[in-house]
Amino acid sequence: MQLADLQSNGAVVVGRDLDRGITASLATLDVTLSLDGKAVNSVDKGASWDAIVKDIAWLAGHAEARGLPLKAGQVIITGARALLKLDGATRVEGVLGDWGRVSCGV
């Protein structure tokens, strides 16, 4: 799969939709990443919902103008909050404040 960030992303985990109420909290949402149960990176700032929607609208127009319109079912990666290298870890977990968690074994 070709990724929007020119394939420099190590992985993308896609799961169930979160409650849409999260959109109001995105700019200040606490995000913590853990490797094998140990928290290794935490951030509390990011793009607001309005900024994300504005950027996706730009992307849609840009892609259409290049003859590559966005299609239903495509996943758009709007940016990463907390980055880390696996460094041999076999379990990765992300906690999105009180909104939920996502985890993956490698």
Side-chain angles (χ1 to χ4, degrees), residues 2-98:
Q2 184 176 8
L3 302 176
D5 62 358
L6 301 175
Q7 300 177 348
S8 64
N9 198 315
V12 177
V13 178
V14 180
R16 294 180 297 144
D17 289 349
L18 291 174
D19 180 323
R20 297 245 183 228
I22 196 173
T23 59
S25 303
L26 286 177
T28 57
L29 181 65
D30 289 324
V31 174
T32 301
L33 288 176
S34 298
L35 295 178
D36 292 335
K38 180 182 176 190
V40 294
N41 197 349
S42 185
V43 296
D44 62 359
K45 294 182 180 141
S48 69
W49 181 248
D50 290 341
I52 292 169
V53 170
K54 179 182 172 187
D55 290 345
I56 291 173
W58 173 87
L59 175 64
H62 179 73
E64 178 72 30
R66 295 183 67 197
L68 301 166
L70 300 180
K71 299 176 184 173
Q74 287 179 316
V75 175
I76 299 170
I77 305 167
T78 59
R81 285 258 179 119
L83 304 172
L84 57 89
K85 291 183 179 183
L86 288 179
D87 288 333
T90 60
R91 188 102 187 129
V92 178
E93 180 179 54
V95 178
L96 308 167
D98 294 330

